[in-house]
Amino acid sequence: MGRKFELRKEVELAATPQQVWDAIATGPGMEAWFMAQPAPDAGACEVWQPPAHLSITTPAGPDGSFHAFEYLIEAKDGGSTVLRFVHSGFLGDDWGAEYEGMTSRGWDMYLHTLAEYFRHFAGRPAVYLTAEGPEASAKPEAWPVLLRGLGLERDPALGERVRLTPAGLPPIEGVVDWVEEPGGDFLAVRAEDGLYRFHGRAALGMAIAVGHHVYTPVDRAAADEAWARWLHGLYPAQG
């Protein structure tokens, strides 16, 4: 039997309401902290009130599932802005019990990334890089392999300075800016040129992925290919 769900989040951002609106309602803005995707269609939104209120609902799937996303933007004294976000909807029978928990943690990370963008890279155009590992990386034991491939022997702590050394790619020097609860398969590093994110998705039966936000000019296709080649090299095909 399907079920309703609702996730509520709130984050204070070092930005104006217009800057926050641009980050959630434009393609370049979303690429700076979330993913590369088309901007919301104002005509298809339930609410389109820049720069204060945005509400979007996806079409229902064959099983009745749908998702609704609401953003409320409020200016605060001192020049900051509070973003209140609600992700709600209906999940069909095929959606696993772990969906809400993992999605909630995912939004925590993405909203933190938005805050980091405004704090350290505001106004700089971003290139979103993404790649996935092979099927072999969808197993729980694959995460330590990724860490060793980055030159790490363990999950680093929040605030720890690290130097990542993926073979065939430029080293990344920076600070760990986000950690999950112990045992979480996620690594987030803020470097001088971008926000680097490594996602372990074994709990969903999905391969490890990277989703980096780079704030310097880069050839997206070549960089995506290089990261994919590196990931696949960590997990050789079993003959």
Side-chain angles (χ1 to χ4, degrees):
M1 184 175 181
R3 63 188 188 276
K4 296 180 179 179
F5 75 96
E6 182 177 272
L7 305 172
R8 291 182 172 269
K9 305 293 178 182
E10 181 175 315
V11 61
E12 186 167 353
L13 303 166
T16 66
Q18 186 61 54
Q19 287 174 313
V20 176
W21 178 269
D22 291 342
I24 66 171
T26 71
M30 287 186 287
E31 194 164 351
W33 66 280
F34 187 48
M35 299 177 186
Q37 60 186 40
D41 179 355
C45 295
E46 284 79 16
V47 179
W48 180 273
Q49 296 177 354
H53 191 185
L54 173 63
S55 181
I56 309 164
T57 300
T58 66
D63 62 353
S65 296
F66 70 90
H67 297 263
F69 306 92
E70 184 174 30
Y71 303 82
L72 291 165
I73 300 168
E74 180 185 352
K76 303 294 287 185
D77 293 339
S80 67
T81 296
V82 169
L83 171 63
R84 296 181 178 86
F85 170 73
V86 182
H87 177 188
S88 61
F90 181 83
L91 302 176
D93 294 339
D94 293 337
W95 293 76
E98 74 283 354
Y99 175 82
E100 288 96 326
M102 293 198 68
T103 301
S104 180
R105 294 196 301 274
W107 279 121
D108 289 339
M109 183 278 296
Y110 277 118
L111 293 174
H112 167 79
T113 299
L114 177 61
E116 288 287 278
Y117 163 68
F118 282 127
R119 190 174 295 118
H120 300 281
F121 303 102
R124 292 172 60 175
V127 180
Y128 179 66
L129 306 180
T130 184
E132 290 192 358
E135 184 177 347
S137 70
K139 301 175 181 178
E141 59 268 26
W143 185 250
V145 176
L146 178 122
L147 292 178
R148 290 193 293 272
L150 291 170
L152 302 172
E153 291 301 319
R154 57 173 175 78
D155 283 295
L158 181 65
E160 183 175 341
R161 294 205 64 85
V162 295
R163 187 174 193 267
L164 310 181
T165 55
L169 290 161
I172 300 166
E173 298 192 28
V175 61
V176 177
D177 67 277
W178 178 261
V179 295
E180 292 188 313
E181 71 278 1
D185 295 345
F186 184 75
L187 175 63
V189 173
R190 185 184 72 249
E192 185 177 345
D193 67 337
L195 299 168
Y196 292 84
R197 275 76 177 104
F198 302 84
H199 306 259
R201 305 182 296 174
L204 295 175
M206 299 171 67
I208 284 176
V210 302
H212 306 323
H213 309 274
V214 179
Y215 305 100
T216 57
V218 63
D219 183 326
R220 186 200 310 270
D224 284 351
E225 182 180 351
W227 278 105
R229 186 166 56 248
W230 176 75
L231 283 169
H232 282 255
L234 294 178
Y235 308 94
Q238 300 297 314

